[in-house]
């Protein structure tokens, strides 16, 4: 039962960090008015994956999320900013 509880706690931490990262990225990229809480979480979680794919090989970081870390939050925000930049480029024809 302990293993199951830890796995559930990891998902909760990932969703909270994803929401915060998505919100910060949406503020940085001036998209906050167009996004709600749900999309902030989605962008933050997908951005975390993107950030880990970019930062993992470059910085030697990554792996599974078991607890909160400031490095993980920064990587998630950077990944979410990259993701929003690509979305802006496709939708608006410019990054910002």
């Amino acid at each position: 039962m302990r293993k199951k509880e830890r796995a559930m706690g990891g998902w909760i931490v990932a969703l909270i960090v994803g929401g915060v990262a998505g919100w910060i990225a949406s503020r940085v990229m001036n998209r906050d008015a167009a996004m709600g809480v749900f999309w902030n979480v989605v962008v933050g979680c997908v951005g975390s994956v993107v950030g880990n794919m970019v930062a993992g090989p470059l910085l030697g970081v990554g792996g599974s999320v078991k607890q909160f870390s400031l490095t993980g939050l920064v990587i998630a925000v950077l990944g979410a900013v990259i993701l929003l930049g690509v979305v802006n480029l496709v939708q608006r024809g410019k990054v910002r």
Side-chain angles (χ1 to χ4, degrees):
M1 193 69 158
R2 281 245 157 183
K3 196 173 195 179
K4 191 175 185 179
E5 290 171 0
R6 279 185 275 170
M8 184 61 145
W11 276 103
I12 292 170
V13 169
L15 290 174
I16 292 170
V17 170
V20 171
W23 177 74
I24 292 170
S26 69
R27 298 290 299 204
V28 168
M29 297 300 289
N30 201 22
R31 300 269 306 187
D32 194 42
M35 297 175 61
V37 173
F38 174 76
W39 287 111
N40 280 338
V41 172
V42 170
V43 166
C45 290
V46 173
S48 178
V49 172
V50 170
N52 278 309
M53 286 176 22
V54 171
L58 293 176
L59 304 175
V61 297
S64 64
V65 176
K66 294 185 180 161
Q67 60 187 16
F68 173 78
S69 72
L70 189 57
T71 306
L73 178 63
V74 170
I75 289 171
V77 169
L78 290 176
V81 167
I82 291 169
L83 179 64
L84 286 176
V86 170
V87 168
N88 283 344
L89 190 61
V90 169
Q91 285 182 345
R92 300 177 180 171
K94 58 184 178 179
V95 174
R96 225 167 203 231

